[in-house]
């Protein structure tokens, strides 16, 4: 099996799995319990949170552990909306992840005004346009750090300083950036990410909150790790997340370099294929290579690649004929390319043989009408 869908999720690292299993066995007590085992789990968790804070160069208080980036995205949008009911305007973009767009749409259905920041020809957010959209009643600006389809990395610092000067909250979904490139969370007001994109387990995510900012929690309940998210702390998942984060930081540069070489190898081969267009650009992280294979349809294409035991993705596995990738359209302004795009996502685990097999499969790909 050839797995080239690491942007969708990653296989758990064996040492992360080991930490997860061991912690589940050794620290099974409810960390909210006041008995001795509960206290031990609590103390253990505090150590884990301190380590996570250290890895991210933030404070423990900044960290709100939750189930996923989807939960983090929903929590911050809806939580701020509840806290500031008079602010009825949201600024985001058309190239956000579905979990962000879904939360924005839910608020729009309740009467919120939503504006979408345009992107330049390079796929970067147009900061002048963003500036022109800011309003007195803007609740927040939420813009993704790395687009999950094209891999384009946005200038977060510039966006953050623009929002700070305007005194408007800035949230960024950093799920595809975390662990892959250095991200300074301290420049942001809020950020979301997820462990399973960095060789950690599924079911654990993080909402970063600047310490002087607050919102109304979505999950109320008893006292827990953070007043912003009740429930029994997921001790083992948190420990596994910390280990995954640690590995992603330790190996960040070496993995980035290795993946960059893999990308160059792949792009060289793809460039020689007349039906292929490369959609990722100079701003894209090496982990994501977005291409269009002209005269193919991604819904059938994914099945075709599966028949060669190759797993990759398009905009979505169930992308209908009339659908297109808004992220690819944003950079190419070409509907044919946006309707025939595929995302190949690479890892330090990827081999040249796997890429050769992919290229061969693309060469043999049948034409669709
Ligand atoms: C940019 C981005 N945000 C959010 C998510 C959702 O993450 P999770 O699976 O943790 O809900 C993903 C994963 O698909 C993503 O790529």
């Amino acid at each position: 099996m050839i797995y080239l869908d690491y942007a969708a999720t990653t296989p758990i690292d064996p040492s992360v799995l080991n930490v997860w299993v061991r912690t589940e066995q050794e620290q099974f007590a409810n960390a909210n319990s006041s008995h001795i085992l509960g206290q031990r789990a609590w103390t253990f968790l505090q150590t884990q949170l301190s380590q996570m804070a250290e890895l991210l160069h933030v404070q423990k208080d900044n960290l709100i552990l939750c189930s996923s980036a989807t939960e983090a995205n929903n929590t911050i949008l809806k939580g701020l909306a509840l806290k500031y009911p008079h602010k009825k305007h949201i600024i985001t973009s058309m190239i956000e992840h579905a979990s962000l767009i879904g939360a924005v749409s839910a608020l729009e259905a309740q009467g919120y005004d939503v504006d979408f920041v345009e992107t330049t020809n390079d796929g970067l957010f147009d900061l002048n346009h963003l500036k022109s959209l800011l309003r007195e009643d803007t609740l927040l600006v939420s813009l993704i750090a790395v687009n999950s389809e094209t891999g384009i990395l946005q200038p977060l610092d510039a966006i953050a300083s623009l929002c700070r000067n305007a005194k408007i909250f800035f949230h960024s979904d950093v799920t595809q950036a975390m662990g892959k490139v250095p991200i300074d969370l301290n420049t942001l007001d809020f950020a979301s990410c997820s462990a399973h994109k960095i060789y950690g387990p599924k079911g654990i995510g993080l909402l970063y909150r600047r310490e002087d900012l607050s919102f109304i929690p979505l999950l109320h309940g008893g006292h827990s790790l953070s007043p912003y998210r009740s429930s029994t702390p997921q001790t083992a998942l948190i420990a596994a997340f910390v280990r995954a984060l640690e590995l992603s930081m330790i190996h960040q540069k070496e993995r980035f370099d290795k993946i960059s070489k893999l990308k160059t190898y792949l792009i060289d081969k793809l460039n020689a294929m007349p039906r292929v267009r490369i959609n990722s650009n100079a701003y894209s992280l090496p982990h994501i290579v977005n291409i269009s294979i002209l005269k193919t349809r991604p819904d059938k294409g994914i099945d075709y690649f599966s028949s060669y035991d190759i797993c990759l993705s398009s905009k979505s596995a169930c992308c209908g004929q009339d659908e297109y990738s808004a992220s690819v359209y944003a950079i190419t302004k070409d509907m044919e390319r946006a309707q025939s795009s595929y995302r190949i996502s690479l890892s330090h685990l990827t081999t040249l043989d796997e890429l050769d097999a992919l290229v061969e499969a693309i060469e043999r790909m049948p034409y669709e009408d």
Side-chain angles (χ1 to χ4, degrees), residues 7 68-70 73 97 99 144 148 173 175-176 194 196-197:
S68 59
T70 297
N73 284 341
H97 186 261
S99 57
I144 197 162
S148 47
D173 178 346
T175 307
Q176 292 290 350
S194 187
H196 73 92
K197 306 285 183 178

Side-chain angles (χ1 to χ4, degrees), residues 1 26 31 40 55 86 94 113 115 128 136 149 176 188 193 205 231 243 253 264 268-269 275 285 316 326 342 344 348:
M1 197 58 72
E26 290 173 3
R40 276 187 200 154
L55 287 165
H86 55 290
M94 299 295 281
D113 265 359
D115 275 313
N128 287 327
E136 281 267 294
E149 285 182 61
Q176 292 290 350
L188 309 175
C193 68
S231 88
R243 177 69 182 144
K253 175 148 183 359
T264 305
D268 279 352
K269 300 223 162 197
R275 289 167 72 198
L285 292 189
S316 96
Y342 299 81
I344 303 155
H348 56 282

Side-chain angles (χ1 to χ4, degrees), residues 327-339:
S327 303
V328 172
Y329 188 75
I331 40 176
T332 61
K333 308 284 184 285
D334 181 331
M335 192 49 82
E336 190 185 356
R337 279 167 76 162
Q339 283 176 328

Side-chain angles (χ1 to χ4, degrees), residues 338-356:
Q339 283 176 328
S340 57
S341 68
Y342 299 81
R343 177 184 70 183
I344 303 155
S345 42
L346 308 174
S347 154
H348 56 282
L349 303 171
T350 303
T351 64
L352 294 180
D353 285 350
E354 289 178 333
L355 298 183
D356 287 342

Side-chain angles (χ1 to χ4, degrees), residues 90-105:
I90 294 168
I91 300 176
T92 184
S93 80
M94 299 295 281
I95 59 167
E96 301 296 313
H97 186 261
S99 57
L100 197 291
I101 291 288
V104 169
S105 303

